[in-house]
Amino acid sequence: MKIRKGDLVKVIAGDSKGSQGKVLEVITATSRILVEGANMVSKHTKPNATSPNGGIIKQEAALHISNVMLIDPKSGKPTRVGRTKNEAGKLVRVAKISGEEIK
């Protein structure tokens, strides 16, 4: 997958369209990701040791990886991701817009 944990992405489709956030988790088996602050859902929780009162909490739900685009580190715009070899001969991810290497 071209998007990894810790990347800055922009949601391009769905209810959270337009929101930006950091990738919290990548679920490779289902091609889904969790994005910080995007696709928030209400979860009803029973009282337990960690939350003695229970109640309704807001948390992120998984988005399909095709519904997000990586943010170009140079221009700050959504970009596609390519792969090229660097001087050391190692494959690295690069932004298609600027050609900048993605750390």
Side-chain angles (χ1 to χ4, degrees):
M1 285 205 200
K2 296 178 179 180
I3 295 175
R4 296 182 187 156
K5 182 179 177 178
D7 286 345
L8 186 64
V9 294
K10 182 172 186 174
V11 181
I12 58 168
D15 292 338
S16 299
K17 182 178 179 176
S19 63
Q20 287 186 10
K22 201 168 78 169
V23 176
L24 301 174
E25 183 183 354
V26 178
I27 307 158
T28 53
T30 56
S31 298
R32 293 174 105 58
I33 59 170
L34 285 174
V35 179
E36 186 177 44
N39 200 21
M40 299 297 282
V41 294
S42 298
K43 185 176 183 205
H44 299 258
T45 57
K46 282 186 168 180
N48 57 26
T50 56
S51 61
N53 294 336
I56 300 169
I57 60 166
K58 290 275 200 180
Q59 69 180 39
E60 293 93 358
L63 287 163
H64 197 270
I65 203 147
S66 66
N67 293 338
V68 297
M69 281 185 89
L70 195 78
I71 299 292
D72 185 9
K74 194 172 189 179
S75 68
K77 295 179 180 175
T79 181
R80 293 174 297 146
V81 182
R83 288 165 32 143
T84 57
K85 287 190 178 181
N86 63 1
E87 331 45 81
K90 187 177 180 192
L91 270 178
V92 292
R93 298 181 301 157
V94 293
K96 289 274 190 176
I97 289 179
S98 64
E100 188 83 9
E101 183 180 330
I102 300 163
K103 303 286 187 252

